[in-house]
Amino acid sequence: QVHLVESGGGLVQVGGSLRLSCAASGLIGSQYVMGWFRQAPGKEREFVAARPRTRTETYYADSVRGRFIISLDNAKNTVDLTMNSLKSEDTAVYYCAARDGEALDMRTSHYFYWGQGTQVTVSS
């Protein structure tokens, strides 16, 4: 059974940084993609970043490219999201997700495994 558990959310000021971490267990094999999504109040869940487990290529939403970095530690089975230059519009619940295979994908419906989410609040 797959379990994804996020940590590291909290309150940060505009322009600050925060690092989220996701601990994964139960993923079988080596070919899967780890991703981060977020959902702000009253809005649909949206893609943030993704990376295949066995390759170094990354995929970012336009709104976070250049500010956020997704990284994997395969030995620890963790995926981190380092968020810099945070803006008030980054406020959301952030979810870790995983999908089988190695095709990068930003569609929420194509990720089958989800964490419970962690709140990030950026205050001005």
Side-chain angles (χ1 to χ4, degrees):
Q1 191 172 2
V2 176
H3 287 286
L4 303 176
V5 180
E6 303 96 336
S7 61
L11 176 65
V12 63
Q13 290 188 331
V14 169
S17 298
L18 204 60
R19 186 172 185 175
L20 306 181
S21 186
C22 173
S25 62
L27 288 167
I28 303 300
S30 62
Q31 293 191 338
Y32 49 86
V33 173
M34 300 301 299
W36 286 95
F37 290 75
R38 66 186 182 186
Q39 187 168 17
K43 295 187 177 181
E44 293 187 353
R45 192 170 299 187
E46 64 175 8
F47 171 79
V48 174
R51 181 183 158 174
R53 184 179 182 274
T54 60
R55 303 200 309 271
T56 59
E57 65 185 283
T58 54
Y59 189 26
Y60 294 98
D62 290 342
S63 58
V64 307
R65 187 176 294 112
R67 300 189 297 123
F68 290 13
I69 300 171
I70 185 171
S71 57
L72 270 67
D73 186 331
N74 289 327
K76 296 181 180 179
N77 285 328
T78 58
V79 53
D80 291 350
L81 184 69
T82 301
M83 305 183 293
N84 301 310
S85 302
L86 282 162
K87 306 175 181 180
S88 56
E89 51 262 45
D90 294 319
T91 295
V93 176
Y94 283 72
Y95 296 90
C96 175
R99 65 184 301 271
D100 297 319
E102 292 207 312
L104 289 173
D105 200 309
M106 62 184 294
R107 291 169 288 186
T108 306
S109 61
H110 285 215
Y111 286 76
F112 306 115
Y113 310 110
W114 293 87
Q116 82 287 351
T118 185
Q119 177 70 46
V120 172
T121 303
V122 185
S123 65
S124 57

